[in-house]
Amino acid sequence: MDGADVADDLTPPIHITHPHADGVDAVLTPAALAFIVDLVERFGPRVDELLARRTERRRAIAAGAMLDFLPETEDVRAGDWRVGAIPDELRDRRVEITGPVERKMVINALNSGACVFMADFEDSLAPTWENVVAGQVNLRDAVRRTIEFFNHKRSEGKHYTLNDKTAVLMVRPRGWHLPEKHLLIDGKPIPAALVDFGLFFHHNARELLRRGTAPYFYLPKLESHLEARLWRDIFEHAERQLGLKHGSIKATALIETLPAAFEMDEILYELRDYIVGLNCGRWDYIFSYIKTFRNRADHVLPDRGAVTMTTHFLRSYSQLLIKTCHRRGAFAMGGMAAQVPIRNDEAANRDALDKVRADKLREVGDGHDGTWVAHPGLVPVAMDVFNEHMEGSNQLGRLREDVEVTAADLLRVPEGAITEAGMRNNISVAIQYLAAWLEGSGCVPINHLMEDAATAEIARTQLWQWLRHGATLDDGQRIDEPLLQDIQDAELIGIENRGPRLPYTEAAQMLYEATTATECAEFLTLATYDHLP
């Protein structure tokens, strides 16, 4: 049955703008579409309300308001409550690997030796319709262990299948801010998060439970406990629709926005029947910090390379997350190691792995229960650190009562210089990432790092902020549009001379428009979404 015919059978109709993608008939079945329509009818208006609330808070901060812990939820923070039971297979999460829902990646990540694989529909996936549909097909096949991939590009060929023992599967849907333009109700794109969650849950929840596991999710870019409450209500409704036991779903929330750092207790409380942990989404957190204070000259950040997890505001955030989670019986997951093994330079590879070890040693020493890596080659490196320095399968018993974090700690501006090298790096990385994204790749190796949308977002918001506030480089140059244009032109020539043929000129133009615009766009991926097929 054609996807468009299926859509016509529904009331109200859901229109599929691109019904002929490979796998669309298997994914967009009449029952699956009906499930999505029900989610959108029930919860779509609340998504709109919460996005409007984000806008109101942004305007208030631009006008001089400051973030703080909420006085109206003080009883939640002071209360003696804990999250629900954690499944046995999620009690050891010392190393998790993340990556897009591309077929070979799914197989390699599940086979990587990591405890968990976070299959990503969000920052590491360019949301072309083909990618979104194929991702659902790939995860459906992975759940049923029928997934395989044959690499025809290699002369000898290579066949990829699942090992007997694999990582536990978790799925990250897209954030509340993103629409799915290929599915329309009454001519309006529907929330992409409801598409990603709804399709995966509808097709796989019962099968996962039959196989002795369960539907597990990572929740991205929450900005408040009210957004967590929305996910709670969606989970409860979805379980009822499929006749599942309450609490069958389990989730981990990413604390990757500055506002969410002030509501960690509240987020855990709203999701207490479902949540098993919080994660330090460090790159998006830095992006959120810049974006939150985009219009404030007193909160301009130095070079991206100087904003490390050892800076006061980031160390405070990560330690507060550990304390908050362990008090409530939830896991505190560390951040991403984005390094990619460097196979043709032994010294550079050794230096890169030393940086990974140092980062993971800090995390395990602080009390994190696990960490993230972006490449299978880093799984043994991170695993060795946690195996050596973590007794048992987690550190839930380390309550970190010594940690005291104030609002001022979370908001302290890190010190450091703004340099021409930092400016060039931001421009170069943003152009390279955006060009690949426009071609359908959301996870891109750049300078021996596996970059996703978060890095490009930091880069372009920093450029916008520096330009907006007339920041000065350490050599005395004032950042203005002519300087930005000159550096971008030079970087573009260098990229085009050494890289594969990608739409770099188009990407550079988009970057320049974003960085010189009067208003700083909320999300670069949203602003450029219509350029994707």
Side-chain angles (χ1 to χ4, degrees):
M1 182 180 292
D2 184 89
D5 295 333
V6 170
D8 292 340
D9 294 337
L10 295 173
T11 305
I14 183 168
H15 175 61
I16 306 170
T17 65
H18 194 51
H20 302 297
D22 289 345
V24 73
D25 292 335
V27 170
L28 300 183
T29 62
L33 285 170
F35 187 72
I36 296 297
V37 169
D38 178 54
L39 290 177
V40 175
E41 286 185 325
R42 289 177 180 272
F43 302 108
R46 285 176 62 185
V47 175
D48 294 337
E49 292 169 4
L50 290 167
L51 292 178
R53 188 174 181 272
R54 288 185 182 183
T55 300
E56 291 172 5
R57 177 158 54 185
R58 181 171 70 248
R59 289 172 178 165
I61 292 171
M66 190 55 72
L67 290 168
D68 205 343
F69 298 99
L70 302 178
E72 63 267 30
T73 57
E74 185 176 356
D75 59 332
V76 172
R77 294 193 299 277
D80 187 17
W81 52 268
R82 292 171 67 84
V83 303
I86 297 176
D88 287 344
E89 66 178 340
L90 292 181
R91 296 195 68 83
D92 187 343
R93 298 172 61 179
R94 66 189 65 208
V95 179
E96 301 186 345
I97 188 170
T98 75
V101 286
E102 183 268 333
R103 198 165 183 87
K104 187 173 80 168
M105 175 67 199
V106 169
I107 298 171
N108 286 342
L110 288 170
N111 288 345
S112 67
C115 303
V116 169
F117 165 47
M118 189 204 76
D120 191 22
F121 283 96
E122 214 226 7
D123 272 0
S124 66
L125 185 81
T128 67
W129 187 230
E130 288 77 8
N131 285 349
V132 171
V133 172
Q136 292 287 346
V137 171
N138 296 339
L139 295 187
R140 181 199 62 185
D141 293 349
V143 167
R144 290 156 181 79
R145 299 190 62 84
T146 60
I147 189 170
E148 58 182 352
F149 177 79
F150 190 82
N151 189 349
H152 295 283
K153 295 181 180 180
R154 298 175 56 139
S155 58
E156 73 277 14
K158 188 173 182 181
H159 188 213
Y160 297 79
T161 59
L162 292 180
N163 297 337
D164 291 338
K165 179 176 174 54
T166 59
V168 175
L169 177 66
M170 303 185 83
V171 177
R172 179 164 71 170
R174 281 169 283 179
W176 289 129
H177 61 289
L178 290 168
E180 178 44 75
K181 67 180 181 181
H182 302 95
L183 294 177
L184 310 177
I185 294 180
D186 295 331
K188 178 183 176 182
I190 66 180
L194 298 181
V195 176
D196 300 337
F197 165 79
L199 291 176
F200 179 80
F201 186 81
H202 173 80
H203 286 297
N204 300 293
R206 290 196 185 102
E207 182 66 20
L208 286 162
L209 291 164
R210 188 183 73 80
R211 290 174 176 269
T213 181
Y216 300 136
F217 296 93
Y218 254 102
L219 306 179
K221 293 184 174 59
L222 298 180
E223 292 198 12
S224 75
H225 69 285
L226 299 180
E227 296 180 14
R229 182 182 298 171
L230 174 57
W231 271 119
R232 179 200 68 192
D233 294 346
I234 290 169
F235 290 166
E236 288 179 346
H237 178 72
E239 288 173 338
R240 287 195 300 269
Q241 289 297 96
L242 266 64
L244 305 185
K245 179 181 175 182
H246 178 78
S248 295
I249 297 170
K250 294 297 179 183
T252 300
L254 285 138
I255 303 300
E256 54 183 351
T257 70
L258 183 61
F262 290 87
E263 301 185 37
M264 288 191 275
D265 269 307
E266 294 88 336
I267 288 169
L268 288 170
Y269 183 79
E270 293 292 346
L271 286 161
R272 61 193 180 277
D273 290 347
Y274 297 103
I275 200 158
V276 295
L278 301 177
N279 177 290
C280 286
R282 61 175 73 171
W283 308 126
D284 269 297
Y285 190 82
I286 298 169
F287 162 50
S288 177
Y289 186 100
I290 300 168
K291 188 171 64 170
T292 298
F293 297 116
R294 70 192 86 175
N295 294 311
R296 303 276 289 268
D298 57 342
H299 279 76
V300 174
L301 264 59
D303 279 1
R304 178 164 54 94
V307 187
T308 69
M309 289 303 294
T310 61
T311 57
H312 185 84
F313 85 111
L314 288 175
R315 190 74 186 275
S316 299
Y317 138 76
S318 65
Q319 292 192 327
L320 179 61
L321 184 142
I322 295 167
K323 179 180 181 178
T324 304
C325 284
H326 288 180
R327 182 185 177 198
R328 307 303 184 183
F331 280 19
M333 302 302 298
M336 171 69 76
Q339 285 82 358
V340 176
I342 305 170
R343 292 186 170 85
N344 58 354
D345 189 329
E346 184 177 344
N349 187 60
R350 184 169 56 251
D351 289 344
L353 296 186
D354 285 345
K355 290 178 182 178
V356 174
R357 291 187 187 96
D359 183 53
K360 301 314 165 191
L361 185 60
R362 174 192 53 78
E363 289 181 329
V364 71
D366 282 350
H368 281 290
D369 301 291
T371 192
W372 271 15
V373 299
H375 191 281
L378 295 186
V379 171
V381 179
M383 192 73 75
D384 286 347
V385 173
F386 272 79
N387 286 346
E388 181 178 355
H389 297 281
M390 184 169 74
E391 295 182 7
S393 57
N394 55 66
Q395 301 194 81
L396 291 178
R398 289 191 62 188
L399 300 182
R400 291 308 311 269
E401 294 176 340
D402 58 304
V403 171
E404 294 293 336
V405 174
T406 66
D409 291 318
L410 295 174
L411 299 173
R412 184 186 296 183
V413 182
E415 298 178 354
I418 302 172
T419 69
E420 182 176 321
M423 203 173 163
R424 288 184 178 277
N425 183 266
N426 277 349
I427 291 170
S428 177
V429 168
I431 291 173
Q432 291 180 72
Y433 180 83
L434 187 53
W437 193 83
L438 291 170
E439 290 286 287
S441 297
C443 192
V444 185
I446 303 173
N447 301 330
H448 306 302
L449 297 173
M450 191 63 73
E451 304 288 17
D452 67 10
T455 301
E457 294 284 29
I458 297 172
R460 64 93 185 176
T461 48
Q462 278 204 311
L463 292 167
W464 186 94
Q465 189 186 48
W466 293 342
L467 181 63
R468 168 66 177 264
H469 298 294
T472 302
L473 299 179
D474 64 342
D475 63 5
Q477 294 185 87
R478 184 177 180 274
I479 298 176
D480 55 17
E481 287 194 31
L483 178 63
L484 179 69
Q485 185 71 72
D486 287 347
I487 293 177
Q488 180 167 302
D489 289 346
E491 289 301 312
L492 177 60
I493 291 171
I495 292 168
E496 289 180 326
N497 286 341
R498 70 176 184 270
R501 304 312 302 172
L502 292 174
Y504 294 120
T505 300
E506 183 181 1
Q509 181 61 34
M510 290 179 180
L511 176 64
Y512 188 78
E513 291 173 358
T515 53
T516 59
T518 303
E519 297 293 330
C520 183
E522 279 294 293
F523 293 93
L524 184 63
T525 49
L526 181 57
T528 58
Y529 180 42
D530 285 341
H531 292 266
L532 290 181

